[in-house]
C-alpha cells in the first residue's frame, strides 16, 4: 500500500514494477513483481499461502516468507560461504633483511608526543625524502570508449567524477601498451566492477580476453550480469587479497594468458597485498635469486605479469606487516615506529587545508584546547601551518610510495607515479603504474 499522500502526486510506478511507495526515497519501489501481482515479495505483506514475512536472521536488511525460511537460508547472499579454491594461507612477507618490530609502548598517538618528538619525526621525514627520485608526473588522460557516457547529462557529479577517473586509468593502460586482447585483467578491490566493465567495452572485439574481479565483500548492483551473454571470460572471486593464490584460480589455468593488475582506489594495505599477490609466489623465496636471473615478467604460477595500473588511496591505512617497502625503509634508517607515524601524518595531505584555531591567537587557542582536549590541534597550530601540514602529508605519501617503487624495481619492473586526475575530481589522484623494465 502507498504510505504517503506524496504518492498521489507522484507518477505511477513503472510497468512491471512494485506499486509500493518508499517514503524514505520519495519514489515507488523499483523491484520487479511476479505475473499478476501488484507488489514485490518484500512489500506484498502477506504471501499467497498466508505465510507472514519475517526479518532474515542472517541479514536484517531484508525479509523472507516464514514458510520458505529454511530454503532461503541455504541460498541467502549473507550466508557463510565455502572458501573459494583460490583461498590459501595468508602470504608470508619476504624481505632480505630482518624485520624490526618496535615494542607497542613506542606506538603512541601523535597527540601524546612532545614537540621535540614530533620535530624529530618531521626532521627524519625531510632527510628521507631529500634527493628521493619519486616525482609524481602529471598525466590526466582519457579513453574514447567512455566519451559518450562522460557526455551523458543524466550522470550526476559523483558519477561523472568516477567516469573521469576510469577514463584516465584506461588511457594510461593504453599508453603503457597494456590495454590489448590476449590478456587477463585482474581487478583488485573490484567493488561493483565498473573498471573491468570499461576494460571489456574497450576490448570486446578482441580475442582471448579474461577479466577476474577480486572483492572480499558481498557487493550490490554489480555490473557482472551485463557480461553473462558475451564471449568473454568474466569471473568474480569473493576473497581477501591476502589469501589469494593466483596459481590456484581455475580461470587463469585454462589459457594462462599474461596478467595485468588494475585497481581504482585500492585502499592502504590492499595495494601492498595486491603487489605481493601479483609478484610473489607463495612459499618461494624470490630474494634468494640473483636479480639478473629473475624473469622480467614475473610468473605467479599462471600467466606472466606484464604490468599494472593501480590508483592509490588511504596511506594512513597501510600496515607494516604487509608493506612491500620494508627493505627500503630499513635502508633509510627507519623502522616500523616511523612508518606508523608517517602513515598517520599522510592524512594531512588531504585534510591539511582544513582550518584550525591557527588564526585565533595563542590565548584563544589555549582556552579552546583546555575545553576540547584537542592536543593535536594545539600542537599543529603552533608548529605547522595548514600549507606545511599538507606538504608534510604529501611527503609521507611519497616516501611510502617510494618503497613500493623500490619493490617493483627488485622484481624487474619500471614503476612510476602519475597524477591521473585533477584534485577537483579526487584528492587521492595518484596512479601507480609498472611495466617490465628494459633489459
Amino acid at each position: 500500500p502507498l504510505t504517503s499522500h506524496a504518492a498521489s502526486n507522484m507518477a505511477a510506478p513503472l510497468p512491471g514494477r512494485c506499486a509500493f511507495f518508499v517514503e524514505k526515497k520519495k519514489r515507488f519501489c523499483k523491484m520487479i513483481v511476479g505475473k499478476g501481482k501488484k507488489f514485490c515479495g518484500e512489500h506484498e505483506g502477506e504471501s499467497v499461502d498466508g505465510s507472514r514475512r519475517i526479518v532474515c536472521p542472517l541479514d536484517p536488511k531484508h525479509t523472507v516468507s516464514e514458510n520458505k525460511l529454511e530454503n532461503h537460508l541455504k541460498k541467502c547472499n549473507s550466508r557463510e560461504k565455502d572458501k573459494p579454491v583460490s583461498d590459501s594461507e595468508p602470504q608470508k612477507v619476504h624481505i632480505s633483511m630482518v624485520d624490526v618490530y618496535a615494542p607497542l609502548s613506542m606506538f603512541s598517538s601523535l597527540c601524546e608526543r612532545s614537540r621535540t618528538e614530533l620535530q624529530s619525526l618531521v626532521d627524519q621525514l625531510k632527510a628521507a625524502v631529500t634527493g628521493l627520485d619519486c616525482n609524481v608526473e602529471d598525466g590526466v588522460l582519457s579513453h574514447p570508449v567512455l566519451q559518450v557516457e562522460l557526455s551523458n547529462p543524466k550522470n550526476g557529479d559523483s558519477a561523472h567524477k568516477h567516469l573521469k577517473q576510469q577514463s584516465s586509468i584506461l588511457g594510461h593502460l593504453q599508453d603503457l601498451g597494456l590495454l590489448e586482447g590476449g590478456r587477463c585483467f585482474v581487478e583488485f578491490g573490484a567493488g561493483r566492477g565498473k573498471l573491468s566493465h570499461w576494460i571489456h567495452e574497450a576490448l570486446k572485439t578482441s580475442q582471448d580476453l579474461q577479466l577476474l574481479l577480486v572483492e572480499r565483500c558481498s557487493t550490490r548492483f554489480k555490473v557482472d550480469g551485463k557480461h553473462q551473454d558475451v564471449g568473454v571470460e568474466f569471473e568474480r572471486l569473493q576473497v581477501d587479497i591476502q589469501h589469494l593464490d593466483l596459481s590456484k584460480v581455475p580461470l587463469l589455468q585454462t589459457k594462462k594468458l599474461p596478467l595485468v593488475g588494475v585497481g581504482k582506489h585500492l585502499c592502504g594495505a590492499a595495494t601492498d597485498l595486491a603487489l605481493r599477490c601479483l609478484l610473489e609466489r607463495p612459499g618461494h623465496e624470490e630474494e634468494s635469486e640473483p636479480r639478473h636471473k629473475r624473469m622480467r615478467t614475473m610468473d605467479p604460477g599462471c600467466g606472466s605479469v606484464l604490468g599494472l595500473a593501480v590508483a592509490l588511496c588511504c596511506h594512513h591505512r597501510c600496515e607494516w606487516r604487509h608493506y612491500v617497502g620494508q627493505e627500503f625503509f630499513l635502508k633509510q634508517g627507519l623502522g616500523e615506529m616511523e612508518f606508523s607515524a608517517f602513515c598517520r601524518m599522510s592524512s594531512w595531505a588531504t585534510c591539511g587545508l582544513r582550518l584550525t584555531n591557527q588564526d585565533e591567537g595563542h590565548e584563544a587557542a589555549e582556552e579552546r584546547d583546555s575545553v576540547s582536549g584537542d592536543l593535536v590541534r594545539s600542537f599543529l597550530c603552533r608548529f605547522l601551518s595548514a600549507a606545511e601540514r599538507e606538504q608534510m602529508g604529501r611527503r609521507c605519501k611519497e616516501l611510502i610510495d617510494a618503497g613500493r617503487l623500490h619493490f617493483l624495481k627488485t622484481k624487474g619492473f619500471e614503476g612510476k607515479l602519475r597524477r591521473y586526475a585533477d584534485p577537483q575530481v579526487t584528492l587521492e589522484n595518484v596512479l601507480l603504474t609498472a611495466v617490465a623494465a628494459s633489459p
Side-chain angles (χ1 to χ4, degrees), residues 152-171:
N152 189 343
K154 294 183 179 180
N155 288 317
D157 290 342
S158 178
H160 198 250
K161 288 181 178 181
H162 286 293
L163 288 167
K164 280 187 173 181
Q165 294 172 66
Q166 291 154 358
S167 181
S168 186
I169 292 174
L170 260 67

PDB file of all heavy atoms in Angstrom, residues 152-171:
ATOM      1  N   ASN A 152      26.973  12.226 -21.139  1.00  0.00           N
ATOM      2  CA  ASN A 152      25.581  11.945 -20.803  1.00  0.00           C
ATOM      3  C   ASN A 152      25.115  12.873 -19.674  1.00  0.00           C
ATOM      4  O   ASN A 152      25.623  12.792 -18.556  1.00  0.00           O
ATOM      5  CB  ASN A 152      25.438  10.486 -20.371  1.00  0.00           C
ATOM      6  CG  ASN A 152      23.986  10.071 -20.211  1.00  0.00           C
ATOM      7  OD1 ASN A 152      23.084  10.907 -20.117  1.00  0.00           O
ATOM      8  ND2 ASN A 152      23.750   8.769 -20.165  1.00  0.00           N
ATOM      9  N   PRO A 153      24.170  13.749 -19.924  1.00  0.00           N
ATOM     10  CA  PRO A 153      23.725  14.706 -18.892  1.00  0.00           C
ATOM     11  C   PRO A 153      22.999  14.042 -17.723  1.00  0.00           C
ATOM     12  O   PRO A 153      22.806  14.671 -16.679  1.00  0.00           O
ATOM     13  CB  PRO A 153      22.794  15.645 -19.668  1.00  0.00           C
ATOM     14  CG  PRO A 153      22.303  14.823 -20.820  1.00  0.00           C
ATOM     15  CD  PRO A 153      23.438  13.925 -21.187  1.00  0.00           C
ATOM     16  N   LYS A 154      22.593  12.780 -17.878  1.00  0.00           N
ATOM     17  CA  LYS A 154      21.893  12.082 -16.801  1.00  0.00           C
ATOM     18  C   LYS A 154      22.829  11.701 -15.658  1.00  0.00           C
ATOM     19  O   LYS A 154      22.375  11.404 -14.557  1.00  0.00           O
ATOM     20  CB  LYS A 154      21.202  10.831 -17.355  1.00  0.00           C
ATOM     21  CG  LYS A 154      20.068  11.127 -18.325  1.00  0.00           C
ATOM     22  CD  LYS A 154      19.386   9.839 -18.780  1.00  0.00           C
ATOM     23  CE  LYS A 154      18.233  10.142 -19.735  1.00  0.00           C
ATOM     24  NZ  LYS A 154      17.554   8.882 -20.180  1.00  0.00           N
ATOM     25  N   ASN A 155      24.124  11.684 -15.925  1.00  0.00           N
ATOM     26  CA  ASN A 155      25.083  11.347 -14.871  1.00  0.00           C
ATOM     27  C   ASN A 155      25.279  12.549 -13.943  1.00  0.00           C
ATOM     28  O   ASN A 155      25.542  13.656 -14.401  1.00  0.00           O
ATOM     29  CB  ASN A 155      26.427  10.941 -15.484  1.00  0.00           C
ATOM     30  CG  ASN A 155      26.357   9.580 -16.143  1.00  0.00           C
ATOM     31  OD1 ASN A 155      25.774   8.647 -15.607  1.00  0.00           O
ATOM     32  ND2 ASN A 155      26.944   9.477 -17.325  1.00  0.00           N
ATOM     33  N   GLY A 156      25.161  12.303 -12.654  1.00  0.00           N
ATOM     34  CA  GLY A 156      25.369  13.364 -11.681  1.00  0.00           C
ATOM     35  C   GLY A 156      26.849  13.640 -11.466  1.00  0.00           C
ATOM     36  O   GLY A 156      27.719  13.024 -12.094  1.00  0.00           O
ATOM     37  N   ASP A 157      27.149  14.568 -10.553  1.00  0.00           N
ATOM     38  CA  ASP A 157      28.538  14.958 -10.296  1.00  0.00           C
ATOM     39  C   ASP A 157      29.380  13.781  -9.827  1.00  0.00           C
ATOM     40  O   ASP A 157      30.512  13.592 -10.266  1.00  0.00           O
ATOM     41  CB  ASP A 157      28.579  16.074  -9.249  1.00  0.00           C
ATOM     42  CG  ASP A 157      28.047  17.396  -9.793  1.00  0.00           C
ATOM     43  OD1 ASP A 157      27.986  17.531 -11.030  1.00  0.00           O
ATOM     44  OD2 ASP A 157      27.702  18.273  -8.984  1.00  0.00           O
ATOM     45  N   SER A 158      28.831  12.974  -8.914  1.00  0.00           N
ATOM     46  CA  SER A 158      29.587  11.843  -8.377  1.00  0.00           C
ATOM     47  C   SER A 158      29.920  10.831  -9.466  1.00  0.00           C
ATOM     48  O   SER A 158      31.056  10.388  -9.595  1.00  0.00           O
ATOM     49  CB  SER A 158      28.797  11.165  -7.257  1.00  0.00           C
ATOM     50  OG  SER A 158      29.494  10.042  -6.748  1.00  0.00           O
ATOM     51  N   ALA A 159      28.907  10.459 -10.264  1.00  0.00           N
ATOM     52  CA  ALA A 159      29.125   9.500 -11.349  1.00  0.00           C
ATOM     53  C   ALA A 159      30.120  10.047 -12.363  1.00  0.00           C
ATOM     54  O   ALA A 159      30.973   9.316 -12.880  1.00  0.00           O
ATOM     55  CB  ALA A 159      27.801   9.168 -12.029  1.00  0.00           C
ATOM     56  N   HIS A 160      30.034  11.342 -12.628  1.00  0.00           N
ATOM     57  CA  HIS A 160      30.919  11.968 -13.609  1.00  0.00           C
ATOM     58  C   HIS A 160      32.368  11.915 -13.134  1.00  0.00           C
ATOM     59  O   HIS A 160      33.291  11.682 -13.922  1.00  0.00           O
ATOM     60  CB  HIS A 160      30.483  13.413 -13.845  1.00  0.00           C
ATOM     61  CG  HIS A 160      31.027  14.008 -15.102  1.00  0.00           C
ATOM     62  ND1 HIS A 160      31.982  15.001 -15.103  1.00  0.00           N
ATOM     63  CD2 HIS A 160      30.775  13.738 -16.413  1.00  0.00           C
ATOM     64  CE1 HIS A 160      32.284  15.326 -16.340  1.00  0.00           C
ATOM     65  NE2 HIS A 160      31.565  14.581 -17.165  1.00  0.00           N
ATOM     66  N   LYS A 161      32.592  12.114 -11.839  1.00  0.00           N
ATOM     67  CA  LYS A 161      33.948  12.062 -11.294  1.00  0.00           C
ATOM     68  C   LYS A 161      34.532  10.658 -11.410  1.00  0.00           C
ATOM     69  O   LYS A 161      35.707  10.483 -11.746  1.00  0.00           O
ATOM     70  CB  LYS A 161      33.941  12.513  -9.834  1.00  0.00           C
ATOM     71  CG  LYS A 161      33.723  14.004  -9.661  1.00  0.00           C
ATOM     72  CD  LYS A 161      33.750  14.414  -8.196  1.00  0.00           C
ATOM     73  CE  LYS A 161      33.571  15.924  -8.048  1.00  0.00           C
ATOM     74  NZ  LYS A 161      33.618  16.344  -6.624  1.00  0.00           N
ATOM     75  N   HIS A 162      33.721   9.645 -11.125  1.00  0.00           N
ATOM     76  CA  HIS A 162      34.194   8.265 -11.259  1.00  0.00           C
ATOM     77  C   HIS A 162      34.514   7.932 -12.716  1.00  0.00           C
ATOM     78  O   HIS A 162      35.508   7.257 -13.006  1.00  0.00           O
ATOM     79  CB  HIS A 162      33.148   7.284 -10.714  1.00  0.00           C
ATOM     80  CG  HIS A 162      33.058   7.262  -9.224  1.00  0.00           C
ATOM     81  ND1 HIS A 162      34.079   6.790  -8.429  1.00  0.00           N
ATOM     82  CD2 HIS A 162      32.084   7.648  -8.374  1.00  0.00           C
ATOM     83  CE1 HIS A 162      33.736   6.885  -7.163  1.00  0.00           C
ATOM     84  NE2 HIS A 162      32.520   7.407  -7.099  1.00  0.00           N
ATOM     85  N   LEU A 163      33.674   8.398 -13.628  1.00  0.00           N
ATOM     86  CA  LEU A 163      33.906   8.142 -15.050  1.00  0.00           C
ATOM     87  C   LEU A 163      35.201   8.783 -15.527  1.00  0.00           C
ATOM     88  O   LEU A 163      35.944   8.200 -16.314  1.00  0.00           O
ATOM     89  CB  LEU A 163      32.724   8.660 -15.871  1.00  0.00           C
ATOM     90  CG  LEU A 163      31.422   7.853 -15.769  1.00  0.00           C
ATOM     91  CD1 LEU A 163      30.267   8.642 -16.364  1.00  0.00           C
ATOM     92  CD2 LEU A 163      31.568   6.510 -16.459  1.00  0.00           C
ATOM     93  N   LYS A 164      35.493   9.984 -15.040  1.00  0.00           N
ATOM     94  CA  LYS A 164      36.737  10.657 -15.414  1.00  0.00           C
ATOM     95  C   LYS A 164      37.947   9.846 -14.952  1.00  0.00           C
ATOM     96  O   LYS A 164      38.942   9.712 -15.682  1.00  0.00           O
ATOM     97  CB  LYS A 164      36.785  12.056 -14.800  1.00  0.00           C
ATOM     98  CG  LYS A 164      35.983  13.105 -15.559  1.00  0.00           C
ATOM     99  CD  LYS A 164      36.236  14.485 -14.973  1.00  0.00           C
ATOM    100  CE  LYS A 164      35.577  15.567 -15.816  1.00  0.00           C
ATOM    101  NZ  LYS A 164      35.834  16.930 -15.275  1.00  0.00           N
ATOM    102  N   GLN A 165      37.861   9.303 -13.751  1.00  0.00           N
ATOM    103  CA  GLN A 165      38.974   8.509 -13.229  1.00  0.00           C
ATOM    104  C   GLN A 165      39.141   7.210 -14.016  1.00  0.00           C
ATOM    105  O   GLN A 165      40.251   6.813 -14.361  1.00  0.00           O
ATOM    106  CB  GLN A 165      38.740   8.203 -11.751  1.00  0.00           C
ATOM    107  CG  GLN A 165      38.767   9.438 -10.862  1.00  0.00           C
ATOM    108  CD  GLN A 165      38.335   9.136  -9.446  1.00  0.00           C
ATOM    109  OE1 GLN A 165      39.018   8.408  -8.720  1.00  0.00           O
ATOM    110  NE2 GLN A 165      37.207   9.690  -9.028  1.00  0.00           N
ATOM    111  N   GLN A 166      38.023   6.541 -14.291  1.00  0.00           N
ATOM    112  CA  GLN A 166      38.083   5.302 -15.061  1.00  0.00           C
ATOM    113  C   GLN A 166      38.628   5.554 -16.457  1.00  0.00           C
ATOM    114  O   GLN A 166      39.430   4.768 -16.971  1.00  0.00           O
ATOM    115  CB  GLN A 166      36.684   4.678 -15.126  1.00  0.00           C
ATOM    116  CG  GLN A 166      36.200   4.146 -13.786  1.00  0.00           C
ATOM    117  CD  GLN A 166      34.682   4.123 -13.668  1.00  0.00           C
ATOM    118  OE1 GLN A 166      33.956   4.532 -14.582  1.00  0.00           O
ATOM    119  NE2 GLN A 166      34.187   3.652 -12.531  1.00  0.00           N
ATOM    120  N   SER A 167      38.219   6.671 -17.066  1.00  0.00           N
ATOM    121  CA  SER A 167      38.698   7.014 -18.396  1.00  0.00           C
ATOM    122  C   SER A 167      40.200   7.245 -18.396  1.00  0.00           C
ATOM    123  O   SER A 167      40.915   6.795 -19.297  1.00  0.00           O
ATOM    124  CB  SER A 167      37.965   8.264 -18.902  1.00  0.00           C
ATOM    125  OG  SER A 167      38.390   8.609 -20.197  1.00  0.00           O
ATOM    126  N   SER A 168      40.705   7.926 -17.367  1.00  0.00           N
ATOM    127  CA  SER A 168      42.141   8.198 -17.290  1.00  0.00           C
ATOM    128  C   SER A 168      42.940   6.922 -17.056  1.00  0.00           C
ATOM    129  O   SER A 168      44.014   6.728 -17.633  1.00  0.00           O
ATOM    130  CB  SER A 168      42.428   9.208 -16.178  1.00  0.00           C
ATOM    131  OG  SER A 168      43.790   9.589 -16.178  1.00  0.00           O
ATOM    132  N   ILE A 169      42.418   6.041 -16.209  1.00  0.00           N
ATOM    133  CA  ILE A 169      43.119   4.772 -15.956  1.00  0.00           C
ATOM    134  C   ILE A 169      43.227   3.960 -17.245  1.00  0.00           C
ATOM    135  O   ILE A 169      44.277   3.404 -17.562  1.00  0.00           O
ATOM    136  CB  ILE A 169      42.407   3.956 -14.856  1.00  0.00           C
ATOM    137  CG1 ILE A 169      42.535   4.678 -13.502  1.00  0.00           C
ATOM    138  CG2 ILE A 169      42.994   2.551 -14.749  1.00  0.00           C
ATOM    139  CD1 ILE A 169      41.746   4.030 -12.388  1.00  0.00           C
ATOM    140  N   LEU A 170      42.131   3.901 -18.014  1.00  0.00           N
ATOM    141  CA  LEU A 170      42.182   3.198 -19.297  1.00  0.00           C
ATOM    142  C   LEU A 170      43.153   3.878 -20.251  1.00  0.00           C
ATOM    143  O   LEU A 170      43.869   3.218 -21.013  1.00  0.00           O
ATOM    144  CB  LEU A 170      40.789   3.134 -19.918  1.00  0.00           C
ATOM    145  CG  LEU A 170      40.051   1.795 -19.726  1.00  0.00           C
ATOM    146  CD1 LEU A 170      39.705   1.578 -18.264  1.00  0.00           C
ATOM    147  CD2 LEU A 170      38.800   1.724 -20.574  1.00  0.00           C
ATOM    148  N   GLY A 171      43.188   5.212 -20.206  1.00  0.00           N
ATOM    149  CA  GLY A 171      44.132   5.939 -21.041  1.00  0.00           C
ATOM    150  C   GLY A 171      45.567   5.587 -20.707  1.00  0.00           C
ATOM    151  O   GLY A 171      46.413   5.429 -21.600  1.00  0.00           O
TER     152      GLY A 171
END
